[in-house]
Structure formats: structure tokens, C-alpha cells
Amino acid sequence: MLGAVRRFGVSNVLRASAPRSLSASTRWSSQLLKWQPLSAPSFPAAARSFHASYPALKAAAAEAHEIEDDSAQTEIITEFRDLERQGLVDPSIIRNITDSRRMGLTTMTPVQSQTLHEVLGGGDVLAQAKTGTGKTLAFLVPAMQNILNDPTLRQDQRGRYCDPKDTRALIISPTRELAEQIAVEAKKLAAGTRLQVRTAVGGSHKASGLRRIQEEGCHLLIGTPGRLKDILSDPRNGVEVPKLNTLILDEADRLLDDGFAPDVMEIQRMLPSAQEVNRQTLMFSATVPREVMTMVRRTLKPGFNFVKTIREDEVPTHLTVPQKSVVLRGYENALPAILEMAKNYKAKQREDSSLRPFKTIVYFNSTAEVRIAAEAFNNLSDPRRRSHSPLGRMNLLELHSRLSQRERTRNAEDFRRSPEAILFSSDVSARGMDFPDVTHVIQIGIPQTRETYVHRLGRTARAGKTGEGWLFLHDAQHGYFQDILGDLPLTNDSTSLPAASARMTPFVKMASEEAGEDLAARPDETTPEETIETFNQIQQAMANIPPRQREDAFQPLMSNLKSSIHNKRRLVQIVNDTATIGWSLPEAPGVSPKFVQQLGFKRMPDLLKVNESRRGRDRDSDDDPFGAMDRRSGGFGRPSNFGRSSDFGRPSSRSNFGDSGDRRRDSRKSPSYGRRY
Ligand SMILES: Nc1ncnc2c1ncn2[C@@H]1O[C@H](COP(=O)(O)OP(=O)(O)OP(=O)(O)O)[C@@H](O)[C@H]1O
């Protein structure tokens, strides 16, 4: 099968694409993202403009392979079937991709064809392509083919197909959900090849996973950094990778950030040395911010190939997806505004059956907020009061690190399958997750980084579908918004959601409780009746959440807003209003003395109550928006210094390697209380 490769070399064979590839590529472009026909000349143009447009990165680019020189003359294969015809990829893998009863794909996306070209040709690769454009297959196909090509594996087999030492490829992902999603794809591709795919993720049963690896062997191991490090570092586990020749970092910029980099580097140290095995390292992401380039250079071989399929003449996803910003009157208006949006959409859908069902992800910056929002929305129907949810049977789900792994997997799967649903999520689902048909992504508050905004937004408008992004922010966050997202095409929407801008008043328990009515005090005259009803529904639902849970969300919300609202009195006032008006608490909760100290607050006796008895509860409310990412290093007050060089870590300037015209300032300068870095 690989005769063609051996005779002519991979690069030559890959370039020998028939004209059919071009027409197929045109089909993909018209059906999906309006990609131009994927001919070689368009790719070098991108490479050329990359080199010209980022003078600050010339040093890094100089180290990267000049892809344009290598591929300018010839076409690159773009049809999956041609890979089989040319003897480049195993027929079973191609059948699994192209068979209409399996994946049913015909034409490769640009990142797939170009990466395959580079990976099968040998050498390390850094690949950057828009969200939702098929990067998973782009690394799985060549990684699996490399395993099938491995002559040592064939010799070692001796009747038994596989043992733990046969692991040839390791894929590292920042989240458990993403690792599992990659494994599902890998298993689909592997059907009929006898390749063994295994996962190693935190929160799952380590012993049973290890047993499978030991008993049934492993060729391709996919996992999260913490669990992989754990497994590989302990010889008693019996998992060694002495011949590992492919290492893949998915969401590479995240893995090379200082939260994960120590684990990733340690895993690398446990792999065979360059003298023992000529290993290929591949890195993929939609975003490659400048500050990770030091780590990229440290990790990839000199002369690595930089495959960038966001061409200079092509608008990145985060510039093409329609995006709106909504200024909230108070933070307490966020949940009513989400409810109002869902109700409005459902009403429109009743009139226009061509509208897709409302399938939305709502991102918050803290797990505590996610939990409160999910619980409130689930309380919209109350069997005790025989009240039905205004959202009917819409599936209302949550995804964050405080759930058990079983719940996380189940909720992610539920959301994947639901035609109509809202997923309240922390950033555990922000990267890589491929949920079909997401119509809206709503972000509450400003995320910690621009990359986070881009990846969250990328959960919609995938693989050629449409979608829209919404950002709900408080007026006081405007300066911070300008700093990190100001150049993005967000249009302000001040009319379609009255619940965002109307004045909410505290929830009051009415004397009419016998009649089963708890009502919000009446807001001002101009507020539409439906909006008042929406406020009431949210406040009633909130009142049914245990007070302690609402109180425990107070500190995380304040610490999260601190990075975007610098006026401390204003910040405290905003969070107090959220607690008393939005969360229906009788008064703003007290905070622990440690919290006040760590946030650098002076005492504000009139606004902020310090509560000694919260001391012991700090741990409970300690919020970890990214906890599920298996970030092991550091903890509050123990920031990792790993990789703190002048251009890595928390840089003073953060221009985005991938986005032209980026003018961010440091968006990570104020670490939040309780964040586990
Ligand atoms: N060649 C192809 N043709 C059509 N659809 C494809 C092709 N390759 C992959 N897809 C589909 O595109 C969707 C997105 O793929 P994938 O999750 O790999 O994107 P991604 O680039 O990794 O996104 P992200 O940056 O968010 O991680 C998936 O549903 C996948 O099945």
C-alpha cells in the first residue's frame, strides 16, 4: 500500500493530485464556508502574507519551514478518496470517513489537506485554522496512518497485535470532554484497522482504564495532562511508551499556557529522547497568541512547519459570525435577559417554522454563577406550585468542574443530542467541543482573555452552519471591553431585550403568599408587562435555591468582576445589587477577612460586610472556572512561575499571532481570587 510513498517520497505523491481534487474542493466551498478552491497558489499566498504581516514574529517565522517554497508548484490532494488511491492512507480509514453511513465526508477542509501534506512528509507542525473547520481529523488521520506505517510495530507483533508498549501516538487535550470527544472520532476512524485507542482522563476510573491498556494494549492514547503525567510517571502502572513517535497537542496555546505547561513539559521528559526515537510533534489551535511562541519553539524541532489556513483574504470566524453586545443595567439583569431572549425566540419560531430550535450555550466566568443560573432556570417550573416553565420542555443543562465526571459526560452528551436546549457552562466546554447546531453563544461578562472569547464563540457557526454571538456586559466594564475586544464587530443592541435595561427591584415576599404569589416590587412604569413577568419568574426561581448556595456565589462573582471593574466601591455595589435583587437574598452576604485582604480591598463598612464565620467556607466557595481542565499546578496564592520569561506567562503586550489588527493589552493582569493557576 505504501509502495507509492516509498518509491516517490510522500511530498511528491501528495502533490500529484488530479484536477478532480479542485472541483471537489469547489463543492466544499460552495456548500460550506465559502472557502475558495484549495489550490496550492492560495496557500503560499497565506504563508507569504504571514511572514510579511507580523514583523514581531519574524524570528519565530524564520525558524519555521518556508511552506510556500515547498508547495508552490503543485496541487495538494483535497479528496479523501484520493488519499487511498495514491496509497497514502489505509483503505479502512478512508472508508470510515467517506461511507455515507459513517462520517460521510468527501472533501478535505484546507487544514486537513495541508496538514496531512506536511505531517506525512515528516517534520513537526504547528497548525492554525478557524474553529469548527475539522482540525480533529487533520491530526487523527496522519497520526493513525503513521502508526500503521510503523515498521517496528509490524515486527514486534508476533501474532499478538498490541501491548501497552506499542503506544505510538499520544494526544494531549486540555479538557476531559474534549479528550473523550477526540477518542470517539478516533475510534470511528479506527474501525476495521485493529488500531487500539485508549483514553486517560482525570475523574474517570483510573484502575479500569489502566487494566484495559495492560490487557488489550494501546496504539493511540488520548488524555488530559494531569492524568497522563500521573500514569506515565508511575512504573507500577505498566504503561511505558518507549517507541512513541507522535505527540499531538490539541488546543496547543492552552496547553502551553502557564497553567498546563509544567505538566506538558514533564510528560515530554518521560517520552523517549530524540536519540532513541525520531518523534514528530504536532500542535493545533484556532488561536496562537504571541506569548506562547517561546514555548512552541522550545517544544518543536527547529524548522517546523507552520500551517496557517486562515488566509489573509479570508475573514476569521470571530469576524464573520454576527455578534451583539447588550449593556446590562445591573448584573442582576443577566438571567432575565437570557430568559427573555429564549422566550422571544420561541415565539418567533412558532410563526416561522424555518427557524432552527433554540440551542444555546451560556458562558459565565465562574462555576458558582453557572450553577446558580442552571438551577434557577430549572426552577422555572415548580411542581409544588403546579407552574410550568415558560420555556416548555426545553432541556436545561449545566457543565462545569463541580459535577462528577459521569454527570459531565452525561450532560455534554444530552446537549449534543438535544434539538432545543440551553447549556449553562464554564470554560470546560469553551474549546474544541463540537456540539451540532448551536444557534446562539451568550457570554455573560467579559472573559479573561480574547482567545477565550474567540473559542467560546466558535461553538456556533461550525462546519458551514450559521449562528450568532451575544455578549452581556455591565456598563462599568466598558473600558475593559475596549481593551480586549474593542476591535471585534460587535454591534450594540439596546432595544430587543428590555429585561437587560429595565430597572429591577428587590424581590419581596407578599402578604398574598396564601395565594401562592411572591412578587417582585413593581419596576418603573415604562417596563413592559412581559418583562415584569420575566423578572418575577427569575426572582421566584432564585428564591427556591438554598440561600447558602446563593451566598457562596458572592465572592466568586466579585473576584471575577474585579479584573474588569476597577472602581472598588462601584464593584461592591454592583455585586451587592446582584445578590439582593438578582439572587433574591435579603441582604448582601458577608465576605471572609482573607478575601478582603487578597483582593486588596480596604474595609468598606457601609458596603461590604466582613464575616468571620465565612473563614471555613472559603474553600467551598473557592471558585475554579477552569477546574475541569486538570490544571494541577499552583493554587490560589501559589502562582506558577513556570515559563515566566519576558515573552511568556503574563505578558505586558498580547498581540495575537493569528488576528491582524489586534490591539489588546494584557488581559490577564489581575489574577482572580480562588482561581487555580
Ligand atoms: N472534511 C470535512 N467536511 C465536512 N465536515 C467536516 C470535515 N471534517 C470535519 N468536519 C466536521 O466539522 C465539525 C468540526 O470539526 P472539528 O471539531 O474537528 O473542528 P475544529 O477545527 O477542531 O474546531 P475547534 O477549533 O473548535 O476545536 C465536526 O462536526 C466534523 O465532523
Side-chain angles (χ1 to χ4, degrees):
M1 183 191 68
L2 293 163
V5 185
R6 294 205 186 96
R7 277 195 304 279
F8 305 117
V10 168
S11 293
N12 287 335
V13 174
L14 278 161
R15 286 174 192 157
S17 142
R20 184 179 45 243
S21 305
L22 281 180
S23 60
S25 179
T26 312
R27 262 204 314 280
W28 159 265
S29 75
S30 61
Q31 284 165 3
L32 297 176
L33 292 177
K34 298 204 183 87
W35 276 315
Q36 297 303 305
L38 181 66
S39 57
S42 64
F43 177 48
R48 234 186 331 271
S49 54
F50 153 65
H51 292 302
S53 314
Y54 299 89
L57 297 170
K58 269 188 179 149
E63 284 180 43
H65 184 59
E66 297 271 341
I67 293 167
E68 56 189 313
D69 295 339
D70 200 31
S71 55
Q73 325 300 325
T74 49
E75 304 297 343
I76 295 175
I77 295 176
T78 57
E79 279 270 271
F80 283 113
R81 284 213 170 85
D82 283 341
L83 296 172
E84 181 188 347
R85 289 190 192 108
Q86 306 279 347
L88 292 167
V89 177
D90 185 88
S92 299
I93 294 182
I94 297 300
R95 200 170 41 249
N96 295 332
I97 295 173
T98 55
D99 191 325
S100 58
R101 287 158 304 173
R102 296 177 192 194
M103 292 184 182
L105 306 175
T106 51
T107 306
M108 283 185 264
T109 63
V111 70
Q112 288 165 354
S113 56
Q114 289 167 21
T115 312
L116 200 84
H117 180 268
E118 299 304 327
V119 177
L120 291 179
D124 288 358
V125 173
L126 166 67
Q128 181 183 9
K130 295 194 287 190
T131 50
T133 55
K135 290 188 286 297
T136 314
L137 283 193
F139 59 73
L140 281 178
V141 173
M144 294 178 127
Q145 190 55 47
N146 276 346
I147 301 173
L148 293 170
N149 289 353
D150 189 326
T152 61
L153 192 61
R154 285 151 195 246
Q155 281 157 22
D156 285 350
Q157 273 167 228
R158 298 211 181 98
R160 245 183 97 206
Y161 192 62
C162 182
D163 73 35
K165 290 198 173 115
D166 281 338
T167 306
R168 293 293 191 272
L170 189 63
I171 299 176
I172 312 181
S173 140
T175 65
R176 301 165 186 180
E177 281 74 14
L178 184 53
E180 280 168 356
Q181 182 181 286
I182 296 167
V184 168
E185 291 293 289
K187 284 174 187 167
K188 283 189 208 162
L189 286 180
T193 62
R194 298 206 290 168
L195 284 177
Q196 299 295 330
V197 177
R198 302 277 173 256
T199 50
V201 298
S204 61
H205 293 293
K206 187 174 146 197
S208 61
L210 279 173
R211 212 170 27 250
R212 276 205 85 184
I213 296 176
Q214 284 153 5
E215 288 170 6
E216 297 169 44
C218 173
H219 292 119
L220 178 61
L221 183 58
I222 303 162
T224 45
R227 180 55 65 89
L228 285 172
K229 188 184 84 172
D230 186 26
I231 286 183
L232 292 172
S233 60
D234 186 349
R236 286 169 303 178
N237 291 330
V239 179
E240 292 171 51
V241 289
K243 292 183 182 162
L244 191 113
N245 54 23
T246 311
L247 173 67
I248 297 169
L249 307 190
D250 191 20
E251 306 298 342
D253 56 327
R254 185 74 196 82
L255 290 174
L256 296 177
D257 201 343
D258 53 356
F260 285 119
D263 282 354
V264 173
M265 294 300 118
E266 213 169 316
I267 291 169
Q268 272 204 308
R269 280 193 289 276
M270 291 185 267
L271 305 182
S273 69
Q275 287 75 34
E276 293 166 295
V277 178
N278 183 18
R279 188 171 57 249
Q280 222 175 352
T281 303
L282 316 175
M283 298 188 178
F284 285 75
S285 187
T287 50
V288 185
R290 178 184 169 188
E291 66 266 26
V292 300
M293 281 312 290
T294 305
M295 289 299 289
V296 169
R297 283 198 296 269
R298 240 186 251 173
T299 314
L300 299 181
K301 289 186 206 119
F304 66 87
N305 295 311
F306 180 35
V307 172
K308 181 165 175 255
T309 62
I310 301 173
R311 293 195 316 262
E312 199 68 359
D313 60 346
E314 191 183 30
V315 189
T317 310
H318 58 274
L319 299 181
T320 52
V321 175
Q323 294 155 71
K324 289 186 177 170
S325 62
V326 173
V327 178
L328 302 168
R329 184 182 189 117
Y331 233 72
E332 61 276 10
N333 292 70
L335 296 196
I338 299 166
L339 179 58
E340 187 167 65
M341 184 195 269
K343 288 200 279 189
N344 290 351
Y345 189 91
K346 278 179 78 74
K348 259 200 272 171
Q349 212 197 358
R350 278 192 288 276
E351 284 161 21
D352 178 357
S353 59
S354 71
L355 277 181
R356 290 184 291 161
F358 191 72
K359 185 162 175 178
T360 294
I361 308 181
V362 183
Y363 285 106
F364 293 86
N365 292 325
S366 73
T367 301
E369 289 170 86
V370 177
R371 293 172 79 187
I372 280 211
E375 195 155 341
F377 270 67
N378 275 299
N379 285 350
L380 287 171
S381 65
D382 186 350
R384 285 171 307 163
R385 289 167 177 267
R386 299 212 183 127
S387 63
H388 298 292
S389 167
L391 299 179
R393 289 165 181 269
M394 189 184 288
N395 219 351
L396 301 164
L397 298 157
E398 60 189 304
L399 196 60
H400 51 78
S401 60
R402 297 286 157 135
L403 298 174
S404 69
Q405 190 51 41
R406 188 187 289 261
E407 289 168 319
R408 282 167 62 168
T409 306
R410 192 187 56 216
N411 290 357
E413 204 40 45
D414 256 19
F415 185 65
R416 198 185 300 281
R417 286 164 198 256
S418 297
E420 186 188 55
I422 302 179
L423 177 70
F424 298 93
S425 185
S426 69
D427 283 321
V428 295
S429 73
R431 282 177 177 259
M433 294 306 289
D434 187 45
F435 298 116
D437 281 320
V438 173
T439 52
H440 299 71
V441 167
I442 305 174
Q443 307 194 35
I444 309 299
I446 300 175
Q448 285 286 309
T449 67
R450 180 188 173 90
E451 287 77 31
T452 304
Y453 178 88
V454 170
H455 285 274
R456 288 170 168 184
L457 181 69
R459 296 318 98 204
T460 188
R462 296 175 74 76
K465 297 260 172 61
T466 55
E468 49 192 90
W470 291 72
L471 176 71
F472 291 2
L473 73 161
H474 194 283
D475 194 31
Q477 294 177 300
H478 196 256
Y480 188 71
F481 165 78
Q482 284 299 336
D483 272 0
I484 70 165
L485 305 174
D487 61 327
L488 295 182
L490 285 119
T491 50
N492 182 254
D493 182 334
S494 56
T495 52
S496 63
L497 297 173
S501 51
R503 192 170 70 86
M504 276 178 90
T505 48
F507 181 72
V508 284
K509 288 216 169 232
M510 301 287 281
S512 59
E513 249 187 79
E514 300 115 59
E517 299 234 339
D518 292 336
L519 293 174
R522 197 175 173 77
D524 51 45
E525 296 290 299
T526 54
T527 307
E529 278 305 318
E530 307 82 61
T531 302
I532 294 172
E533 191 188 14
T534 302
F535 287 160
N536 284 340
Q537 285 163 337
I538 288 289
Q539 289 182 313
Q540 176 64 63
M542 276 290 177
N544 290 335
I545 297 176
R548 181 174 166 145
Q549 190 184 332
R550 287 177 273 157
E551 285 162 17
D552 284 350
F554 187 76
Q555 289 188 184
L557 178 64
M558 197 176 291
S559 61
N560 274 311
L561 291 181
K562 185 180 175 268
S563 48
S564 55
I565 302 173
H566 300 304
N567 181 320
K568 290 172 183 167
R569 286 193 70 82
R570 184 133 195 238
L571 166 67
V572 175
Q573 189 62 62
I574 287 168
V575 183
N576 282 351
D577 286 349
T578 309
T580 53
I581 304 173
W583 300 345
S584 306
L585 284 168
E587 57 178 350
V591 294
S592 75
K594 182 177 153 204
F595 179 79
V596 174
Q597 190 194 0
Q598 283 174 331
L599 254 66
F601 279 14
K602 290 219 174 71
R603 304 237 160 178
M604 298 178 219
D606 54 328
L607 275 183
L608 190 61
K609 256 197 317 177
V610 177
N611 184 347
E612 290 291 332
S613 68
R614 278 208 67 87
R615 245 181 235 283
R617 282 161 68 179
D618 269 353
R619 249 188 84 75
D620 294 346
S621 64
D622 184 29
D623 201 69
D624 175 15
F626 309 101
M629 290 189 167
D630 292 333
R631 185 184 283 148
R632 295 281 176 92
S633 59
F636 184 77
R638 289 183 286 127
S640 161
N641 284 323
F642 184 86
R644 287 277 165 84
S645 60
S646 57
D647 57 351
F648 179 67
R650 294 179 197 278
S652 56
S653 89
R654 291 170 46 83
S655 77
N656 190 332
F657 205 43
D659 307 330
S660 53
D662 188 357
R663 50 196 175 77
R664 290 168 304 163
R665 279 184 232 149
D666 180 10
S667 54
R668 298 177 190 174
K669 55 198 164 203
S670 25
S672 298
Y673 173 83
R675 181 157 298 118
R676 289 178 196 152
Y677 271 98

